[in-house]
Amino acid sequence: MSSPFCPQSVGADTEAMLIKIDLHSTGFEPLVVLEHWQQAQSGIAASAAEAHFIGRVRGVAADGCALEALELEHYPGMTEQQLEQLARDCCSRHGVNRCLVQHRIGRVLPGEAIVLVAIGADRRGPAQRCCQELLEALKHHAPFWKREWRSDGNREWLSGNTPL
Amino acid sequence: MSSPFCPQSVGADTEAMLIKIDLHSTGFEPLVVLEHWQQAQSGIAASAAEAHFIGRVRGVAADGCALEALELEHYPGMTEQQLEQLARDCCSRHGVNRCLVQHRIGRVLPGEAIVLVAIGADRRGPAQRCCQELLEALKHHAPFWKREWRSDGNREWLSGNTPL
Amino acid sequence: MVSVVAADVPRVGTIRILLFAGLRERAGWGEQHWPANPGCAAGLTPRELWLQLQLPGELGSQVRVAINRQFADADTPLRAGDELAFLPPISGG
Amino acid sequence: MVSVVAADVPRVGTIRILLFAGLRERAGWGEQHWPANPGCAAGLTPRELWLQLQLPGELGSQVRVAINRQFADADTPLRAGDELAFLPPISGG
């Protein structure tokens, strides 16, 4: 149904998929990055549904010791390529059009953000599911490795992720 | 295992459940609210996993017409009580300890935030699941009603939520 | 326990009835006080009031009941001083 | 297509082999160039290199293979100029 009083909107469906991925070798502020990301989506064009996830370094190592820092090694070149591919696949599977992935590399301190995933979509279900799924995908299929620097002097490479 | 070099941390488990709920009769900025909420959790005490959801008013009404505004009526007194109860139940079910719910009332414009749910937890699974579940709970069990003010002059009460 | 907003002191011996949103507009009113002598309201339920007030729509499938700001069964006996609300389909978030 | 970072120009006639994280530390090296004459590397696979290099751990169950920065099967024939990486268990995010 269309009338002169009821113009059809040009919605998010017609926009290109927008994926932004960054690796940070120093600290980043998730909310500051989110603000810049949102500013590119002003007014009516803003996503009706946005799901975010922020992961931070715990203060405690896997063995219960206090943690001094987490070291994040990665495979330069492959990491970026994999993140891009995982994001693109996940977004098109869920039909979402906006995706932000930020990941730390190097030495990360307790309380600092390691990862930020944000998804913008027209519906809450796809936004939430895509955010969850992309987080799992990058945790298992992007070439990152964590080493714990413990306060007792031990340095241990982790052989996997914490349980979901 | 405990040694002088390996003090046991006092983790989030021992903290009380922290629930913050607000109704806004004028616009609120989700990222600003989140920033204040996060500032209460500084340094190592910051949640290792944080899941957010932001819902905004679409520019298009249910019938495809352009939307001028969304009117949000609620049941003062019951709304706050219900939100508190839903949040408390959901958080204790998922074992999470930090919860933020912000909801608009009154006249809300396209692009403006209607709802923000944020959950802080020690693990990503509980954070994400609790955020999703609490959003569904408040959409169906907190006494809010939306009326669309359409650009063709129609004013229509919605009889439910958009599909998940 | 009866919980009320400061501006709306309950009238002794009445049941305060509230309607919201589309239901309020279809009924043409948003608030009524129904006489209910203390001790004599026994047996009066939201379902009976719904019928007596000839409210539009279907109680149960579409319209939910809250007594004193808690969801309640439509067959719960009401007491003088209660705040009863009929809630059309919720659409928050 | 061989994709390389600017600082690491591939040596013609070799396969560049990379190790990471715990695997690199246990092996005691992070990068090697394995001779592979163009056309003559046929048949040489990551699995064979893994055995010849006597790398620690288990290929497949623990260690994954990437060829030219894409996950690949450990039995994929390698070609001169390829970048081969052995990836210990991933723990990102």
Side-chain angles (χ1 to χ4, degrees):
Chain A
M1 192 193 71
S2 182
S3 81
F5 302 104
C6 178
Q8 292 304 306
S9 78
V10 178
D13 289 359
T14 60
E15 290 168 30
M17 197 191 291
L18 230 71
I19 292 176
K20 178 168 165 55
I21 293 171
D22 296 295
L23 298 178
H24 296 263
S25 54
T26 57
F28 71 96
E29 287 298 330
L31 296 183
V32 172
V33 177
L34 280 169
E35 197 188 346
H36 293 147
W37 182 64
Q38 287 183 349
Q39 275 166 357
Q41 325 166 22
S42 54
I44 296 175
S47 299
E50 229 176 73
H52 309 158
F53 179 84
I54 299 169
R56 290 196 189 80
V57 177
R58 289 183 185 78
V60 183
D63 67 354
C65 268
L67 188 80
E68 265 182 16
L70 210 56
E71 179 188 340
L72 269 153
E73 182 172 327
H74 77 123
Y75 181 176
M78 181 170 174
T79 311
E80 297 86 337
Q81 199 172 303
Q82 268 294 108
L83 287 177
E84 174 88 21
Q85 201 169 305
L86 294 170
R88 210 162 279 285
D89 289 355
C90 199
C91 288
S92 80
R93 208 160 44 241
H94 290 281
V96 311
N97 36 34
R98 284 179 174 122
C99 173
L100 175 73
V101 177
Q102 308 281 294
H103 206 292
R104 271 297 297 274
I105 51 177
R107 185 179 167 88
V108 194
L109 301 179
E112 286 189 336
I114 313 177
V115 66
L116 164 65
V117 177
I119 303 292
D122 192 50
R123 294 268 177 262
R124 65 192 185 282
Q128 290 168 320
R129 288 189 293 264
C130 185
C131 188
Q132 251 172 319
E133 214 174 293
L134 182 51
L135 181 67
E136 292 312 302
L138 72 84
K139 273 182 171 280
H140 296 100
H141 304 299
F144 289 108
W145 297 275
K146 286 187 188 125
R147 174 153 62 173
E148 291 184 339
W149 291 53
R150 298 173 187 165
S151 62
D152 60 5
N154 280 332
R155 314 267 175 272
E156 197 86 41
W157 290 101
L158 298 178
S159 59
N161 282 297
T162 52
L164 178 62
Chain B
M1 192 191 70
S2 182
S3 83
F5 303 105
C6 181
Q8 291 306 305
S9 77
V10 178
D13 289 358
T14 60
E15 290 167 33
M17 198 192 289
L18 230 71
I19 292 177
K20 181 170 163 50
I21 294 171
D22 295 296
L23 298 179
H24 296 264
S25 54
T26 57
F28 71 96
E29 287 298 330
L31 297 183
V32 172
V33 178
L34 280 169
E35 198 188 346
H36 293 147
W37 183 64
Q38 287 182 350
Q39 276 167 357
Q41 325 165 20
S42 54
I44 295 176
S47 298
E50 228 176 75
H52 308 159
F53 180 84
I54 300 169
R56 290 197 189 80
V57 178
R58 292 183 183 79
V60 183
D63 68 353
C65 268
L67 188 78
E68 264 180 17
L70 210 56
E71 179 189 339
L72 269 152
E73 182 171 327
H74 77 122
Y75 181 176
M78 180 171 175
T79 311
E80 297 86 339
Q81 198 172 305
Q82 267 295 108
L83 288 176
E84 175 87 20
Q85 199 169 307
L86 294 170
R88 210 161 280 285
D89 290 355
C90 198
C91 289
S92 80
R93 211 161 40 242
H94 290 281
V96 311
N97 35 34
R98 285 181 174 121
C99 172
L100 175 72
V101 176
Q102 307 281 293
H103 206 292
R104 270 297 297 275
I105 51 178
R107 186 180 166 86
V108 194
L109 302 178
E112 286 188 338
I114 313 177
V115 66
L116 165 65
V117 177
I119 303 293
D122 192 51
R123 294 268 177 261
R124 66 192 186 282
Q128 291 169 318
R129 288 190 291 264
C130 186
C131 187
Q132 251 172 317
E133 215 172 292
L134 182 51
L135 180 67
E136 292 312 303
L138 74 83
K139 274 180 172 278
H140 295 101
H141 304 298
F144 290 109
W145 298 274
K146 288 187 188 124
R147 175 154 61 173
E148 291 185 338
W149 292 53
R150 298 173 187 164
S151 62
D152 60 5
N154 280 331
R155 313 266 176 273
E156 196 87 40
W157 290 101
L158 297 178
S159 60
N161 281 298
T162 53
L164 179 60
Chain C
M1 188 200 75
V2 180
S3 143
V4 287
V5 290
D8 301 293
V9 178
R11 298 190 202 158
V12 177
T14 67
I15 292 162
R16 186 183 182 206
I17 307 171
L18 300 173
L19 304 182
F20 291 93
L23 178 57
R24 182 192 60 235
E25 297 196 342
R26 285 198 305 282
W29 57 271
E31 178 170 353
Q32 276 199 31
H33 286 84
W34 189 266
N37 293 331
C40 298
L44 187 65
T45 65
R47 190 182 307 282
E48 284 163 0
L49 273 176
W50 176 266
L51 293 171
Q52 291 194 36
L53 291 164
Q54 299 188 289
L55 289 166
E58 263 187 79
L59 189 63
S61 68
Q62 293 182 347
V63 174
R64 283 196 273 182
V65 166
I67 300 173
N68 300 327
R69 303 176 182 182
Q70 295 276 356
F71 287 114
D73 193 276
D75 297 311
T76 310
L78 293 163
R79 301 191 308 178
D82 277 351
E83 180 177 300
L84 167 66
F86 292 111
L87 312 177
I90 279 172
S91 57
Chain D
M1 189 200 73
V2 181
S3 143
V4 286
V5 290
D8 301 292
V9 179
R11 297 190 202 159
V12 178
T14 69
I15 291 162
R16 187 184 180 203
I17 307 171
L18 300 173
L19 305 182
F20 290 93
L23 178 57
R24 181 191 63 234
E25 296 195 343
R26 286 197 305 282
W29 57 270
E31 178 170 354
Q32 277 199 31
H33 286 85
W34 190 268
N37 291 332
C40 298
L44 186 65
T45 65
R47 190 183 306 281
E48 284 163 359
L49 272 176
W50 175 266
L51 293 171
Q52 291 194 35
L53 290 164
Q54 298 187 291
L55 288 166
E58 264 188 79
L59 189 63
S61 68
Q62 293 182 347
V63 174
R64 283 196 273 182
V65 166
I67 299 172
N68 301 327
R69 303 175 181 182
Q70 295 276 356
F71 287 114
D73 193 277
D75 297 312
T76 309
L78 293 163
R79 301 192 308 179
D82 276 351
E83 180 176 299
L84 167 66
F86 292 111
L87 312 178
I90 279 172
S91 57

